[in-house]
Amino acid sequence: MSVSPLVEELKRGLDAPICLTWELTYACNLSCIHCLSSSGQRDPDELTTAQAKAVLDELRDLQVFYINIGGGEPMIRRDFFEILEHSGKNGIGVKFSTNGAFIDAEKARRLAAMDYLDIQISLDGADALTNDAVRGEGSYAIARRAMDNLAAANFGPFKISVVMTRHNVSQLDEFKKLADSYGAQLRITRLRPAGRGADSWNDLHPTNEQQREIYNWLMSHGDNVLTGDSFFHLNALGPALPGLNMCGAGRVVCLIDPVGDVYACPFVIHDEFKAGSALDDGGFTKVWRESALFQELREPESAGACASCDSYDACQGGCMAAKFFTGLPLDGPDPECVKGHGEESLLSVPILLTPRPSPDHSKPSIMTLRQPAVRV
């Protein structure tokens, strides 16, 4: 399987990101054990309303046509709707991820009246037992109430976003049935060992057998299921899954964090992958187009330890963030390589040398991992 000309072009980077994620705040009412940004407490230096609007104005000038807003819980910000409205005025569509806690009937109607808006409700179990073990007690009921409110307000086809774990892989049919019952769209994403996920990844990430189950399910049922670039490491199993078959970090995707720092990818919030700040002279535009880190990421990459594998063109070596936070070299195999090469490599990684995510905004008393009955 050869790499497509489009992928080769995207690897060289674009004038503006195709997919820009913006974490509006680290504040969150939940303490999910796999939170990729270690959210919980608000950073005192998070962007002001005026600064956030200035970033949106710059993105408009860059002709960025939509952004992904997350957190933390973005709706905690008192200026959340003001930011949404300013984005809409600039012609920038917004997809925002939420745990649903603040989508009451009135806010659901307000959201339904807005243009250029998409909503993702996070849910990591098709039942309360599975979901709440990861996202906290009562979080399943919170998410379902938000879905009910959006449906009652005639919002339209919102999305249900699921992080795949070894406890919910067997529930894929149930997730799809739930999404269909709301006229919603299912989105499944990969668990990365980033943020608090670095501490729970070993206990939560799907087994090799479950990775194959995910692949086979997507091949059979994935026509209307979104995956983004979450599972391109599974392409080594056969025909390519829909989505971007490459790591887009610093090439077509990036992250702006709550204080305006720009990272190569939403899953590598770490100083090694910080390219600059949207508050610096030249703003986000200069960071995107001129940062040394992004220029380096856009250079042709080596297959490294995967050079001899006949599946490299299909899986592209997997996810940079997954490798980095498990201590594997960036030109080595993905830790979840379906051929087992990642598992072999992990055996030689000293735990003490595994990079720690930064920064950590977790609440003082973080919940401990509670495991439901394992579903394998």
Side-chain angles (χ1 to χ4, degrees):
M1 181 186 297
S2 61
V3 180
S4 73
L6 175 61
V7 168
E8 290 293 354
E9 181 180 351
L10 294 177
K11 283 183 175 182
R12 293 191 291 270
L14 301 175
D15 286 342
I18 291 176
C19 181
L20 185 148
T21 298
W22 187 357
E23 310 288 22
L24 280 186
T25 183
Y26 285 122
C28 192
N29 55 304
L30 299 183
S31 295
C32 302
I33 60 176
H34 61 355
C35 177
L36 63 89
S37 59
S38 298
S39 292
Q41 301 182 96
R42 175 183 176 272
D43 192 299
D45 294 323
E46 73 180 26
L47 298 180
T48 65
T49 305
Q51 288 172 326
K53 288 182 175 179
V55 171
L56 288 170
D57 292 342
E58 189 176 357
L59 297 180
R60 173 203 61 209
D61 294 342
L62 272 172
Q63 298 184 353
V64 172
F65 62 91
Y66 92 92
I67 55 176
N68 295 300
I69 284 180
E73 171 49 56
M75 293 188 73
I76 283 181
R77 282 192 60 139
R78 294 182 179 181
D79 58 0
F80 175 71
F81 280 97
E82 188 175 351
I83 290 172
L84 285 191
E85 290 164 356
H86 193 76
S87 185
K89 289 176 183 176
N90 276 328
I92 302 172
V94 171
K95 179 195 302 179
F96 80 90
S97 298
T98 174
N99 59 48
F102 300 96
I103 302 182
D104 57 21
E106 185 276 327
K107 287 189 174 64
R109 289 191 292 270
R110 186 172 180 183
L111 291 166
M114 301 182 75
D115 295 323
Y116 311 118
L117 184 65
D118 195 7
I119 299 176
Q120 291 185 164
I121 306 291
S122 296
L123 193 74
D124 293 331
D127 54 64
L129 177 65
T130 307
N131 179 84
D132 292 6
V134 174
R135 303 187 61 81
E137 186 174 353
S139 57
Y140 180 85
I142 286 172
R144 290 299 303 270
R145 184 165 56 247
M147 295 178 202
D148 291 341
N149 287 333
L150 288 173
N154 295 315
F155 176 84
F158 58 87
K159 293 176 174 59
I160 298 175
S161 183
V162 179
V163 177
M164 300 309 302
T165 72
R166 67 182 56 178
H167 302 297
N168 66 18
V169 171
S170 64
Q171 298 181 333
L172 278 165
D173 286 337
E174 296 170 66
F175 283 123
K176 186 66 168 63
K177 183 178 179 181
L178 178 65
D180 290 345
S181 72
Y182 282 104
Q185 189 170 25
L186 178 63
R187 178 178 185 264
I188 66 171
T189 63
R190 182 180 179 184
L191 174 70
R192 261 83 166 197
R196 285 195 293 271
D199 295 322
S200 58
W201 186 80
N202 284 324
D203 296 309
L204 289 180
H205 80 94
T207 64
N208 189 282
E209 181 181 352
Q210 289 176 319
Q211 298 280 350
R212 294 168 184 269
E213 186 178 343
I214 293 169
Y215 174 83
N216 291 331
W217 188 88
L218 285 170
M219 293 302 295
S220 300
H221 307 283
D223 288 346
N224 194 37
V225 177
L226 298 177
T227 61
D229 62 353
S230 283
F231 299 107
F232 66 87
H233 68 294
L234 300 183
N235 289 342
L237 292 172
L241 294 167
L244 190 61
N245 179 25
M246 58 171 277
C247 172
R251 296 156 163 171
V252 297
V253 306
C254 69
L255 168 86
I256 301 176
D257 81 351
V259 300
D261 288 337
V262 182
Y263 293 86
C265 166
F267 307 111
V268 285
I269 304 176
H270 187 279
D271 287 346
E272 248 185 81
F273 295 95
K274 184 164 67 176
S277 171
L279 301 182
D280 290 342
D281 290 342
F284 172 80
T285 303
K286 184 174 182 180
V287 175
W288 177 257
R289 294 180 174 173
E290 299 180 23
S291 80
L293 172 65
F294 286 179
Q295 295 300 323
E296 181 182 347
L297 289 172
R298 293 163 189 167
E299 290 294 322
E301 59 193 342
S302 165
C306 297
S308 61
C309 180
D310 59 6
S311 296
Y312 177 75
D313 284 345
C315 77
Q316 296 288 298
C319 173
M320 177 179 75
K323 288 186 271 193
F324 178 75
F325 284 122
T326 52
L328 296 178
L330 298 187
D331 64 352
D334 189 289
E336 293 181 314
C337 168
V338 293
K339 297 195 172 185
H341 301 310
E343 293 178 10
E344 295 172 8
S345 299
L346 285 173
L347 295 175
S348 62
V349 177
I351 296 297
L352 294 177
L353 297 182
T354 303
R356 296 298 303 165
S358 59
D360 190 340
H361 290 81
S362 300
K363 296 173 183 176
S365 55
I366 184 68
M367 63 181 287
T368 57
L369 175 61
R370 295 170 290 134
Q371 296 187 9
V374 178
R375 300 168 181 266
V376 295

